[in-house]
Amino acid sequence: NSGFSQHDFNGGEGDDIFFQDNDHDRDPYPSLHGSGEVAGGSSDSKHTVWTNDFHIATVANVKSLLEPKGVRFIDKSLSGHCHETDSCAYDLRVLTPENGMTPDSYTRDRFVEAYKDDQQMAKVDVVMCFHPSAMCELFMPLKKRLFVIASTRYELGRESASDWKQWNKNLVQIAKKPGNLVAANNLYDAKYIEHFTGLKPVLLPSWIKMDESDMYTGMSEDILIAPIHTSNAEKIEKKLKSISPRFRSIGDKYSHYTFSQLAENSAIIHIPYQVSIMSLFEQYTMGIPILAPTPAFLWELHEKLDVMNERTWEQIRTGRRPSGSPIAGVKEGRHDPNNDIDRDAFLHWVQYADFYQWPHIVKFNSWKDLRRKLEETDWEVVSDEMLGFVKRAID
């Protein structure tokens, strides 16, 4: 239920990203500066998009935007949750959930051989790759338009130094070809790609209109605690509940929940484990007030409690906070985004996280400050301001 808005599929200067050649000289972050025409063309357009992602959410929501405009999707999902969207890759050739994330050269060659003369592939106009965005490498020999849209760190599946460097070379080649698109759904990942490639990805935030029945009511005094992905989660939840009995973890309050149930709560607090998550788009778009620590306080919590432990692939794989990246950025002297032990590097990069880019998120710089914010904040006013921002972004 989160996806790309119609506004975000235009090029910022009236360009139509989906149906026209990509203008590489335009503003790389158009959605920060203005809107243009709606992409998708007329309702009788017959363009076909192929995707075989490991994540269902981004694809499902792009479908919700473009299918009403006549765009056809061939979705052969490799996600373990594909049954939820009836998109499982039952007839996908060569690629499997086991070999698709990091395919070796033999698998890549077999994939191209399997589809170079395929009738279904011949009808495909655009291949979209979100998770992993490097999936688009496999389609380069098939001469399709490629939309590389990162929703997390773009080297997913190409984390070794050699694979990552080769992916960078291929990504630059993809970006050079007219009609292709290199983008990210959050500023952090756009800046991250720029750091390692010199490219300036288009920013396509995942805003979408939610159902009216799912919008914020704030009928309950409870403030939900969003999932915390550290082994110290229990300690943090205990601290929050000592600050106010209004705090309740989502898991404690609901075994299963609907969006409308979430919207009944006064607010939701995030202790970020990542820089951008799809549920944040959903909650913000519903107008649920959001609380989050300031970047400096987040660093304190990370140092003590290892809270932001899914920002780097190395920590996800090994459990250790890295001191740097296996490859260098394109310019010397810049903070390494994968240096997770240096405060200055952390603060430089985390400023680009969605929590710190979007207005009207209520930030607290200490536990004492959180208690004060609970007493002073008018949640209805905050919600109205959030909804105003989203309306402008979508319209």
Side-chain angles (χ1 to χ4, degrees):
N1 290 282
S2 57
F4 298 108
S5 71
Q6 294 176 356
H7 158 80
D8 291 319
F9 257 97
N10 74 68
E13 299 292 340
D15 297 332
D16 183 329
I17 287 179
F18 194 83
F19 294 101
Q20 303 294 332
D21 285 350
N22 191 20
D23 176 3
H24 296 284
D25 293 325
R26 67 169 171 266
D27 184 350
Y29 306 130
S31 58
L32 293 181
H33 306 300
S35 63
E37 298 174 1
V38 172
S42 63
S43 59
D44 61 350
S45 58
K46 301 299 182 183
H47 288 70
T48 299
V49 172
W50 175 291
T51 175
N52 52 257
D53 254 34
F54 277 80
H55 200 297
I56 60 172
T58 45
V59 177
N61 293 296
V62 174
K63 286 182 185 179
S64 72
L65 167 68
L66 296 180
E67 282 182 335
K69 296 187 171 293
V71 178
R72 174 173 173 259
F73 281 80
I74 300 172
D75 187 357
K76 300 177 184 288
S77 178
L78 294 168
S79 167
H81 298 280
C82 61
H83 59 280
E84 297 180 18
T85 52
D86 193 24
S87 58
C88 296
Y90 296 120
D91 61 348
L92 180 64
R93 302 173 198 165
V94 182
L95 296 183
T96 68
E98 290 71 36
N99 68 15
M101 185 64 74
T102 311
D104 57 24
S105 59
Y106 175 65
T107 301
R108 298 182 191 206
D109 290 345
R110 287 176 56 224
F111 181 78
V112 172
E113 186 66 26
Y115 282 103
K116 66 179 183 180
D117 298 316
D118 179 71
Q119 291 185 355
Q120 189 180 44
M121 182 63 71
K123 299 176 182 178
V124 171
D125 300 290
V126 173
V127 175
M128 289 188 179
C129 308
F130 301 90
H131 189 98
S133 56
M135 184 69 75
C136 274
E137 278 189 312
L138 279 70
F139 294 85
M140 293 175 71
L142 297 176
K143 309 298 183 183
K144 299 296 178 181
R145 290 183 67 188
L146 302 177
F147 279 23
V148 179
I149 307 173
S151 58
T152 187
R153 306 314 82 75
Y154 77 108
E155 78 274 19
L156 173 62
R158 310 293 187 271
E159 293 116 75
S160 71
S162 58
D163 286 350
W164 193 349
K165 288 178 180 178
Q166 185 59 52
W167 170 218
N168 282 349
K169 292 178 182 178
N170 285 335
L171 188 58
V172 169
Q173 290 304 309
I174 289 171
K176 286 180 179 178
K177 185 177 178 181
N180 289 345
L181 172 71
V182 176
N185 82 333
N186 64 90
L187 186 59
Y188 185 102
D189 282 307
K191 291 287 189 181
Y192 188 88
I193 292 172
E194 182 180 358
H195 177 85
F196 288 108
T197 67
L199 300 172
K200 293 184 180 294
V202 174
L203 179 60
L204 299 175
S206 297
W207 302 117
I208 197 171
K209 292 180 179 178
M210 303 292 285
D211 292 340
E212 190 63 34
S213 61
D214 295 330
M215 302 307 288
Y216 179 72
T217 62
M219 294 185 299
S220 170
E221 286 292 308
D222 290 345
I223 297 175
L224 295 179
I225 304 171
I228 302 171
H229 288 200
T230 173
S231 58
N232 294 299
E234 187 176 343
K235 184 182 297 185
I236 297 171
E237 289 187 7
K238 184 177 180 180
K239 177 65 178 178
L240 290 172
K241 291 173 183 177
S242 73
I243 292 172
S244 172
R246 297 176 67 185
F247 283 114
R248 295 190 64 184
S249 70
I250 290 179
D252 287 344
K253 185 167 183 177
Y254 307 108
S255 56
H256 300 283
Y257 57 83
T258 63
F259 285 138
S260 61
Q261 286 177 311
L262 291 184
E264 292 173 355
N265 295 277
S266 292
I268 185 167
I269 187 169
H270 285 263
I271 307 297
Y273 60 87
Q274 251 289 17
V275 298
S276 180
I277 54 176
M278 298 304 289
S279 60
L280 191 69
F281 283 101
E282 294 165 348
Q283 294 157 14
Y284 197 104
T285 306
M286 288 189 286
I288 304 174
I290 294 165
L291 291 145
T294 61
F297 190 43
L298 180 61
W299 167 257
E300 290 183 33
L301 296 175
H302 189 46
E303 277 282 87
K304 297 175 182 176
L305 301 169
D306 196 30
V307 295
M308 205 171 205
N309 55 5
E310 295 184 19
R311 186 172 69 99
T312 69
W313 293 124
E314 183 172 334
Q315 185 165 10
I316 290 174
R317 290 196 317 270
T318 69
R320 297 189 299 272
R321 292 168 61 183
S323 59
S325 305
I327 67 171
V330 294
K331 293 184 179 179
E332 296 293 330
R334 295 190 175 186
H335 293 295
D336 189 327
N338 290 304
N339 184 343
D340 199 42
I341 61 175
D342 179 79
R343 183 180 187 273
D344 290 342
F346 179 92
L347 292 178
H348 173 81
W349 279 96
V350 84
Q351 69 175 312
Y352 299 126
D354 290 342
F355 298 92
Y356 309 114
Q357 286 295 309
W358 302 349
H360 314 305
I361 290 180
V362 179
K363 292 178 279 291
F364 54 94
N365 58 29
S366 65
W367 296 128
K368 183 178 180 180
D369 187 41
L370 173 60
R371 182 179 287 107
R372 184 163 52 249
K373 293 292 170 59
L374 297 183
E375 296 170 353
E376 297 175 354
T377 302
D378 186 324
W379 303 116
E380 289 188 11
V381 170
V382 172
S383 178
D384 288 344
E385 291 173 336
M386 294 166 66
L387 292 174
F389 173 76
V390 172
K391 185 178 186 302
R392 292 189 295 273
I394 292 177
D395 291 347

